[in-house]
Amino acid sequence: MASNGEKGLIVSFGEMLIDFVPTESGVSLAEAPGFLKAPGGAPANVAIAVSRLGGRSAFVGKLGDDEFGHMLAGILRKNGVADQGINFDTGARTALAFVTLRADGDREFMFYRNPSADMLLRPDELNLDLIRSAKVFHYGSISLIVEPCRSAHLKAMEVAKEAGALLSYDPNLREPLWPSKEEAKTQIMSIWDKAEIIKVSDVELEFLTGSNKIDDETAMSLWHPNLKLLLVTLGEKGCRYYTKSFKGSVDPFHVNAVDTTGAGDSFVGALLNQIVDDQSVLENEERLRKVLRFANACGAITTTKKGAIPALPSDAEVRSFLEGK
């Protein structure tokens, strides 16, 4: 993708897996007549979202040396994501998740990871040169659940930071994967003060603060001195933003949502792609609001199709969507 050669590199770290999505919405897993394979995993979705919007991205993680793992690596390559950070594990399978789509397009998960290849990434397998070349280093919290992946995550973060990358964190809470709620909260918060951009959903805000109030005070209880931007996404209600100097909210776009999978990842990819080469946006409220409006549009468009990756929009799609508004 030579046209992207001038753009800063966004490196996304973590898991990539296959979601099995029922062919029918609003039924339980047991009642589903069949399933469609949908490649996913939040960090991989973000990498593809960036690339589809014309940015430059790479994925760092581990897949099973199996048909599904090679299929996923192929999907990253086909979508223009650099693959030098991908490892394959001969002893463990690629992770799978069965997803229940409720009638409102929201979802529940049942995971097959015991252990899956992504959990077995070791610090010595990291492509440190690739990580050092990142302008933005983005990650979630699923890679913190077990060793050795947790150590690999911490090492990658440290190397990226030392090389001058902006650290971006979307905890992407998946409660069923953690041994307990307490452990989830402890580990998610254990790296909180390292990130300069953090995005949480309204559900994650409640989980992390223990407050059922989605307001400025609750959000600001998550603020830390290294933070440049804290975002709270509110689903069909848009998003709120907080920086050192200003705060506010950006209205949503109303669409007919069929599947919310990947909407948050699309939002994050759009945001990172818009700021990777000019972080001064984070200090200019008017420009930041424009970027967040664009990111909201990306999230909204992603909910109008089933599956995360097929639904991630191109730059042209977003611009034509915004012109229609």
Side-chain angles (χ1 to χ4, degrees):
M1 302 196 65
S3 62
N4 296 345
E6 308 319 313
K7 292 204 72 152
L9 180 68
I10 296 166
V11 173
S12 211
F13 175 93
E15 71 284 351
M16 188 176 194
L17 62 148
I18 297 177
D19 289 337
F20 283 85
V21 185
T23 48
E24 222 174 275
S25 291
V27 297
S28 71
L29 289 178
E31 294 162 341
F35 295 90
L36 292 169
K37 292 199 308 280
N45 293 342
V46 169
I48 292 174
V50 166
S51 181
R52 208 164 278 176
L53 290 167
R56 215 156 64 89
S57 64
F59 176 74
V60 174
K62 201 174 203 186
L63 301 166
D65 189 8
D66 51 38
E67 229 170 294
F68 284 151
H70 290 285
M71 177 192 105
L72 292 176
I75 286 166
L76 287 169
R77 280 193 292 273
K78 196 176 105 200
N79 282 283
V81 177
D83 65 353
Q84 303 94 310
I86 299 174
N87 289 272
F88 292 93
D89 195 288
T90 50
R93 294 281 187 219
T94 301
L96 309 177
F98 285 81
V99 185
T100 314
L101 277 187
R102 299 207 301 261
D104 62 0
D106 225 336
R107 63 251 139 108
E108 288 160 7
F109 297 86
M110 181 168 83
F111 292 93
Y112 282 68
R113 302 168 85 234
N114 53 340
S116 53
D118 59 288
M119 300 156 74
L120 301 176
L121 179 66
R122 302 191 311 271
D124 64 343
E125 293 175 308
L126 293 169
N127 182 334
L128 298 180
D129 289 339
L130 178 69
I131 293 166
R132 285 189 188 103
S133 65
K135 272 259 190 92
V136 172
F137 185 71
H138 175 75
Y139 46 87
S141 71
I142 288 173
S143 39
L144 296 173
I145 299 175
V146 292
E147 292 291 1
C149 187
R150 183 169 194 278
S151 290
H153 180 141
L154 297 176
K155 167 91 174 167
M157 236 169 57
E158 184 191 339
V159 167
K161 182 71 190 154
E162 277 171 9
L166 181 80
L167 299 189
S168 160
Y169 186 20
D170 175 359
N172 198 44
L173 175 69
R174 294 285 176 269
E175 262 187 68
L177 290 179
W178 292 92
S180 68
K181 285 186 178 195
E182 294 70 36
E183 177 72 359
K185 189 174 170 181
T186 302
Q187 294 299 345
I188 286 171
M189 297 307 293
S190 71
I191 57 167
W192 199 257
D193 59 353
K194 301 272 193 286
E196 292 151 291
I197 292 181
I198 294 178
K199 175 240 143 192
V200 290
S201 68
D202 42 6
V203 174
E204 288 159 350
L205 180 66
E206 282 188 41
F207 178 84
L208 293 171
T209 61
S211 165
N212 56 7
K213 288 214 269 299
I214 307 295
D215 57 14
D216 291 348
E217 192 184 342
T218 308
M220 283 306 287
S221 71
L222 292 177
W223 186 264
H224 68 77
N226 296 326
L227 207 47
K228 292 180 177 170
L229 175 64
L230 173 65
L231 293 159
V232 181
T233 53
L234 306 165
E236 70 281 3
K237 300 192 190 84
C239 73
R240 291 188 182 173
Y241 58 88
Y242 304 87
T243 74
K244 285 187 174 76
S245 341
F246 52 79
K247 63 177 194 281
S249 61
V250 180
D251 290 338
F253 293 98
H254 295 290
V255 292
N256 182 21
V258 295
D259 179 5
T260 59
T261 312
D265 305 326
S266 182
F267 174 93
V268 170
L271 166 76
L272 297 179
N273 189 46
Q274 297 262 340
I275 66 169
V276 62
D277 292 315
D278 184 7
Q279 291 177 26
S280 70
V281 172
L282 302 173
E283 287 147 31
N284 179 315
E285 187 166 15
E286 192 185 338
R287 287 169 65 209
L288 180 63
R289 288 182 65 84
K290 269 192 192 141
V291 165
L292 293 176
R293 186 169 184 265
F294 186 92
N296 272 356
C298 288
I301 293 166
T302 306
T303 68
T304 60
K305 295 184 202 161
K306 269 197 181 175
I309 291 170
L312 297 169
S314 68
D315 193 62
E317 273 177 88
V318 186
R319 294 195 187 282
S320 95
F321 174 86
L322 286 169
E323 275 161 25
K325 299 291 170 184

